[in-house]
Amino acid sequence: MIQRTPTRIEAHPAEDRRTWQQLLSNSITSPADLLERLELAPETWLEGAKTGHRLFAVRVPEPFLARMRKGDPYDPLLRQVLPLTDETEPADGFVQDPLAENGAIQTTGLIRKYRSRALLMVTGQCAINCRYCFRRHFPYEDQRLSPSDRQKVIETLGDSPEINEVIFSGGDPLVASDRLLADWADAITGLPHIRRLRLHTRLPVVIPQRVCDALIDWISQTSVRVVMVLHINHPAEIDASVREALARLSEVGVTLLNQSVILRGINDSADTLESLSESLFDAGVLPYYLHAFDPVRGAHHFDVEDQRAQGLIQQLLTRLPGFLVPRLVREIPGEESKTPLNINL
Ligand SMILES: *Cc1c(COP(=O)(O)O)cnc(C)c1O
Ligand code: SF4
């Protein structure tokens, strides 16, 4: 892993008054732009980037880009978003829908795999396209919700008293407007058996401005506890603007957790994972899951063997308090929960 030097692109400092919607629509969406902004040689990187881009489009918001080092093709944030020729190489066992989500759709927009929790796909869009994403081939268009679909989701939840927690997911649920989210939150928390609302999102990390007054307003007015599970893979993703956004969420009582994916060349070292846990805690976030790699087609170059991942967790256990060691898990289709990968001490 290359040492971090303090030569980042000038971050758009506090005087950047653009709204999150503007930042979302001004994201970098072309491979050539991405390389140019980071001063990377097109002769070396453009062809691969264009090839990968045709499979899964480039999308990088500027606040996230600002945390990358210029001129470093191995920057751990860049690696998460830079398409490579590797993505076109076939690999045994790497498939389109590794988690068999297509089979778990209960009604349009609602995925149910576990007894007490249901996952609501609020929107198919994301603010950033992560190359390793296990949903990179997901047919999101099929999941667009009409008013009658929404009615059906609420009825299904109403008829399922064993569900006590609804997870807003996607895509990234915070790409949706606060009005839409507040409507969902109202309808869902109106059901007597719902005890918690959870949000799975990367937006407060990649566009911290997303934690705006309107978001804080509906969250503070929600009648049940709100849990936010962020997705941060590397400590360099957390800067002052992210810490500030997370502090606003903590202030209104949101429980902040983080899930990461173990990714070769990005965070597959004990030092990086230790520093990630420490930085998360400094930002008021507890590590929750470290996901073993899901074999999605086009992302085999990120794969870390389970045994190595287990070894890394073993090292973390000796370096960190127990509450800063994430649980290493894998999602196995058909299982009734995520499956912990046990560590043999
Ligand atoms: C991961 C996941 C959940 C949440 O699982 P937890 O172990 O409660 O974090 C819920 N529903 C689906 C479909 C999931 O994939
Ligand atoms: S934000 Fe999450 S769902 Fe969206 S591309 Fe990244 S990993 Fe996938």
Side-chain angles (χ1 to χ4, degrees):
M1 181 127 295
I2 291 172
Q3 281 301 307
R4 194 149 264 284
T5 51
T7 54
R8 316 252 171 86
I9 298 178
E10 267 307 291
H12 284 289
E15 60 265 26
D16 189 345
R17 287 269 167 255
R18 285 179 293 174
T19 62
W20 70 267
Q21 291 92 341
Q22 287 166 331
L23 288 161
L24 187 67
S25 56
N26 291 345
S27 293
I28 287 93
T29 52
S30 100
D33 276 357
L34 180 61
L35 297 179
E36 194 190 319
R37 296 287 294 269
L38 291 166
E39 298 178 0
L40 293 172
E43 309 83 84
T44 317
W45 300 101
L46 191 54
E47 201 189 314
K50 279 182 164 169
T51 307
H53 175 70
R54 280 192 286 273
L55 299 172
F56 183 45
V58 164
R59 172 170 280 279
V60 191
E62 286 188 0
F64 191 75
L65 183 94
R67 294 170 220 150
M68 297 175 189
R69 285 175 309 222
K70 277 187 178 177
D72 178 5
Y74 297 98
D75 180 275
L77 276 56
L78 173 66
R79 281 278 138 172
Q80 297 180 47
V81 297
L82 176 69
L84 300 171
T85 325
D86 298 3
E87 295 181 22
T88 60
E89 291 162 9
D92 281 349
F94 284 75
V95 298
Q96 189 101 357
D97 178 19
L99 304 185
E101 293 207 311
N102 280 328
I105 296 167
Q106 200 167 33
T107 179
T108 305
L110 199 67
I111 296 189
R112 172 96 183 274
K113 291 183 183 169
Y114 308 144
R115 182 179 154 80
S116 65
R117 294 85 91 205
L119 198 143
L120 176 67
M121 302 195 119
V122 176
T123 166
Q125 267 184 287
C126 280
I128 183 167
N129 284 348
C130 314
R131 309 315 298 174
Y132 53 84
C133 182
F134 66 82
R135 294 207 178 112
R136 55 183 282 163
H137 308 289
F138 198 81
Y140 281 120
E141 308 73 52
D142 306 345
Q143 295 294 311
R144 204 159 292 154
L145 299 186
S146 67
S148 77
D149 292 333
R150 273 199 247 169
Q151 194 50 43
K152 207 139 166 266
V153 166
I154 299 298
E155 278 165 24
T156 307
L157 291 170
D159 292 342
S160 318
E162 66 285 3
I163 295 178
N164 59 25
E165 179 171 343
V166 175
I167 302 170
F168 288 4
S169 182
D172 194 312
L174 291 190
V175 169
S177 71
D178 287 306
R179 178 173 303 187
L180 179 78
L181 293 164
D183 284 350
W184 271 122
D186 274 351
I188 289 168
T189 56
L191 302 168
H193 49 278
I194 300 299
R195 306 176 57 127
R196 279 180 296 278
L197 210 57
R198 200 198 302 185
L199 292 139
H200 278 187
T201 178
R202 199 151 156 68
L203 254 159
V205 182
V206 301
I207 305 179
Q209 291 82 346
R210 179 63 185 89
V211 182
C212 58
D213 294 345
L215 177 74
I216 293 292
D217 279 353
W218 75 258
I219 287 184
S220 1
Q221 280 159 28
T222 300
S223 59
V224 298
R225 278 199 83 102
V226 176
V227 180
M228 184 178 279
V229 182
L230 299 153
H231 172 181
I232 302 173
N233 297 310
H234 191 281
E237 290 174 51
I238 305 170
D239 69 358
S241 64
V242 174
R243 278 192 294 273
E244 205 176 295
L246 299 177
R248 286 196 79 186
L249 292 163
S250 294
E251 267 168 36
V252 295
V254 177
T255 300
L256 297 173
L257 303 172
N258 182 60
Q259 52 185 343
S260 315
V261 182
I262 185 86
L263 297 166
R264 188 158 92 212
I266 292 171
N267 60 10
D268 58 336
S269 85
D271 286 349
T272 302
L273 291 174
E274 179 188 2
S275 148
L276 173 60
S277 278
E278 293 285 6
S279 305
L280 286 169
F281 187 73
D282 289 345
V285 184
L286 287 174
Y288 178 39
Y289 282 147
L290 177 63
H291 291 273
F293 198 76
D294 292 314
V296 64
R297 198 166 68 204
H300 58 94
H301 52 292
F302 289 115
D303 193 20
V304 175
E305 278 179 27
D306 285 354
Q307 224 180 346
R308 267 202 65 225
Q310 287 165 312
L312 292 170
I313 293 288
Q314 230 157 11
Q315 292 183 59
L316 291 187
L317 285 167
T318 67
R319 296 182 184 199
L320 290 166
F323 60 86
L324 291 187
V325 181
R327 269 158 275 183
L328 180 64
V329 294
R330 155 155 296 126
E331 189 168 335
I332 301 175
E335 292 295 319
E336 290 172 16
S337 71
K338 307 277 187 264
T339 304
L341 299 192
N342 290 326
I343 313 295
N344 300 312
L345 284 172

